[in-house]
């Protein structure tokens, strides 16, 4: 999506067709979202598709919440995202499997002037394994703004390394 001028993104809906299950075929991991505001060269959002929408461990999970939800196979975001001189949303496939279909809808309101000086940002990070007795950093940011929340998935190493337990789940 590429939008010129000032405005606010009101809703983003996306969905894709997942290929047959396999160790390297999960678009929730391999598709990467990048959002650029006002002509910037470095994205303000750079997050794997499933992680942006709150899909734990790459497995689609139905949930309804504001401002993110996954319902009926669709991924929804209702965070207001203001911009002053344009917005660009990119989706790239960084996996080995080709993406047979990707659908999206971006709803936005055009405005005559910049609606807000604030810009939406989203970060993704992973530490595997985490360092014992070292706090895990969930946000690395500078400047003013609002922390709206996060998705954090943690799993004890012993749990997922136990094949018998994995078979029982």
């Amino acid at each position: 999506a590429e939008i010129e001028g000032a405005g606010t993104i009101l809703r983003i809906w996306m969905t894709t067709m997942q290929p047959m299950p396999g160790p390297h075929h999960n678009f929730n991991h391999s598709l990467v979202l990048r959002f650029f505001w006002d002509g910037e060269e470095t994205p303000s959002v750079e997050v794997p598709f499933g992680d942006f929408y709150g899909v734990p461990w790459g497995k689609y999970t139905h949930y309804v919440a504001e401002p993110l939800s996954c319902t009926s196979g669709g991924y929804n975001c209702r965070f207001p995202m203001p911009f002053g001189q344009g917005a660009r949303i990119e989706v790239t496939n960084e996996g080995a499997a080709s993406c047979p279909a990707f659908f999206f809808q971006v709803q936005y309101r055009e405005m005559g002037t910049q609606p807000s000086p604030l810009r939406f940002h989203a970060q993704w990070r992973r530490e595997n394994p985490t360092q014992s007795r070292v706090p895990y950093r969930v946000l690395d940011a500078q400047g003013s703004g609002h922390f709206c929340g996060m998705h954090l998935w943690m799993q004890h190493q012993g749990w997922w390394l136990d094949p018998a337990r994995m078979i029982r789940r």
Side-chain angles (χ1 to χ4, degrees):
E2 192 156 354
I3 305 166
E4 295 182 12
T8 300
I9 292 175
L10 304 171
R11 178 180 174 263
I12 300 172
W13 171 87
M14 296 178 172
T15 194
T16 184
M17 293 176 63
Q18 295 286 346
M20 295 302 292
H24 304 291
H25 303 297
N26 186 335
F27 292 129
N28 287 318
H29 291 306
S30 62
L31 295 179
V32 176
L33 301 176
R34 292 182 180 89
F35 299 3
F36 301 82
W37 312 123
D38 305 324
E40 64 189 358
E41 293 185 24
T42 304
S44 289
V45 172
E46 188 168 25
V47 180
F49 180 74
D51 294 291
F52 178 80
Y53 287 102
V55 175
W57 294 287
K59 183 178 179 184
Y60 180 90
T61 303
H62 176 88
Y63 75 94
V64 177
E66 279 294 329
L68 295 171
S69 64
C70 292
T71 60
S72 304
Y75 300 72
N76 301 283
C77 174
R78 293 182 184 271
F79 277 110
M81 301 180 200
F83 52 92
Q85 301 166 358
R88 187 172 87 239
I89 298 174
E90 295 179 355
V91 181
T92 58
N93 182 3
E94 298 184 5
S98 63
C99 185
F102 183 82
F103 305 94
F104 69 95
Q105 181 181 50
V106 178
Q107 296 175 338
Y108 64 96
R109 176 180 296 129
E110 293 178 342
M111 305 177 115
T113 60
Q114 175 174 295
S116 170
L118 301 176
R119 297 295 178 263
F120 182 86
H121 293 266
Q123 299 176 355
W124 177 85
R125 62 174 41 85
R126 179 180 184 179
E127 190 175 303
N128 187 15
T130 56
Q131 299 176 36
S132 180
R133 301 188 188 278
V134 176
Y136 182 76
R137 183 183 306 264
V138 297
L139 177 66
D140 188 11
Q142 296 177 353
S144 61
H146 304 283
F147 179 72
C148 296
M150 65 181 202
H151 291 282
L152 176 65
W153 302 293
M154 299 180 84
Q155 193 170 36
H156 186 269
Q157 187 174 7
W159 186 88
W160 64 270
L161 289 177
D162 181 355
R165 185 174 293 188
M166 291 184 70
I167 291 170
R168 289 191 304 266
R169 70 174 196 164

